[in-house]
Amino acid sequence: GQQLNQSPQSMFIQEGEDVSMNCTSSSIFNTWLWYKQDPGEGPVLLIALYKAGELTSNGRLTAQFGITRKDSFLNISASIPSDVGIYFCAGAMDSNYQLIWGAGTKLIIKP
Amino acid sequence: DAGVIQSPRHEVTEMGQEVTLRCKPISGHDYLFWYRQTMMRGLELLIYFNNNVPIDDSGMPEDRFSAKMPNASFSTLKIQPSEPRDSAVYFCASTTSGSSDEQFFGPGTRLTVL
């Protein structure tokens, strides 16, 4: 089946550091979505991307839709403790509303 | 606005028992999705509905799982009989056909089958 390769699997960072994670696919996507999941909660949509090359920001978060339409990245600048959680990428290939999900990147902030 | 509502938040049951999970999508959303999340397999789509009609149930693990959507504001996922390997967090999500694939998730039901 379709797969998204999300990396890294986990990140240990210091507060204040910038964070970068990405997703790649062998297939072309029309939409890329980035979600964050806090413990005990459902994923929450952070950023949605609809066009190849699109760069979108949401506060300290910036995401880009790769020009080949097969990848996307998410950057978090100046990380803070509440950024801890699992970040998921998801892609949609066509208009059937089914999403293909990455395995997640677990962000941990070192004390 | 109320988000997606799921109940119960936690369910502990014994193997062989019937389990029913409930979901109320966001008002006006015409797509509803049921997911299962485990450490081993991540987020898996089980089934999704459009306008209360099941569109794709290819992710439903086996006949023990069934889902219904009797109206636009309510859906159930039933497991009968339950097994320990069904232990997972089950999420419901909804979206509207004008939202360009953006799905909104409920808080999930953590199911433990002993």
Side-chain angles (χ1 to χ4, degrees):
Chain A
Q2 304 295 335
Q3 286 189 329
L4 287 183
N5 297 310
Q6 186 171 352
S7 64
Q9 188 174 18
S10 61
M11 302 183 72
F12 292 79
I13 61 167
Q14 298 277 6
E15 183 177 350
E17 287 184 3
D18 295 343
V19 172
S20 184
M21 60 191 79
N22 67 84
C23 277
T24 60
S25 171
S26 57
S27 302
I28 290 174
F29 287 107
N30 293 324
T31 301
W32 283 96
L33 306 171
W34 285 94
Y35 285 81
K36 182 192 178 201
Q37 185 176 23
D38 291 326
E41 300 295 333
V44 174
L45 182 65
L46 299 173
I47 293 179
L49 302 159
Y50 306 110
K51 294 181 181 178
E54 179 182 355
L55 187 70
T56 298
S57 293
N58 178 5
R60 293 177 296 104
L61 278 61
T62 302
Q64 185 160 26
F65 193 140
I67 198 71
T68 64
R69 296 168 62 194
K70 294 182 178 181
D71 61 347
S72 178
F73 72 75
L74 175 70
N75 286 345
I76 306 172
S77 62
S79 58
I80 60 177
S82 62
D83 291 334
V84 165
I86 302 176
Y87 293 79
F88 291 96
C89 62
M93 299 177 69
D94 52 36
S95 59
N96 69 358
Y97 298 92
Q98 290 196 51
L99 297 178
I100 309 300
W101 292 85
T105 295
K106 187 172 185 178
L107 185 61
I108 300 164
I109 295 185
K110 293 183 279 190
Chain B
D1 289 339
V4 175
I5 299 172
Q6 290 187 246
S7 65
R9 291 296 309 272
H10 302 274
E11 177 82 31
V12 180
T13 190
E14 293 187 345
M15 183 173 63
Q17 296 298 306
E18 177 178 296
V19 174
T20 299
L21 311 181
R22 298 172 176 80
C23 175
K24 176 179 169 59
I26 293 172
S27 177
H29 282 192
D30 52 352
Y31 283 84
L32 184 142
F33 304 81
W34 281 102
Y35 288 90
R36 178 171 67 177
Q37 187 179 41
T38 61
M39 289 291 291
M40 291 297 295
R41 300 173 69 90
L43 266 170
E44 301 174 275
L45 177 66
L46 301 177
I47 185 172
Y48 78 98
F49 296 83
N50 177 222
N51 291 322
N52 314 335
V53 176
I55 303 301
D56 187 344
D57 66 353
S58 59
M60 296 285 262
E62 48 197 270
D63 292 345
R64 298 184 296 107
F65 286 68
S66 62
K68 294 182 180 179
M69 192 165 185
N71 57 63
S73 59
F74 183 66
S75 178
T76 60
L77 178 68
K78 186 176 294 185
I79 308 173
Q80 166 62 22
S82 58
E83 297 182 2
R85 61 190 167 124
D86 301 330
S87 297
V89 182
Y90 291 81
F91 289 104
C92 177
S94 70
T95 192
T96 178
S97 48
S99 73
S100 299
D101 302 307
E102 300 172 16
Q103 295 181 16
F104 298 87
F105 282 75
T109 296
R110 180 173 293 277
L111 173 65
T112 302
V113 183
L114 303 174

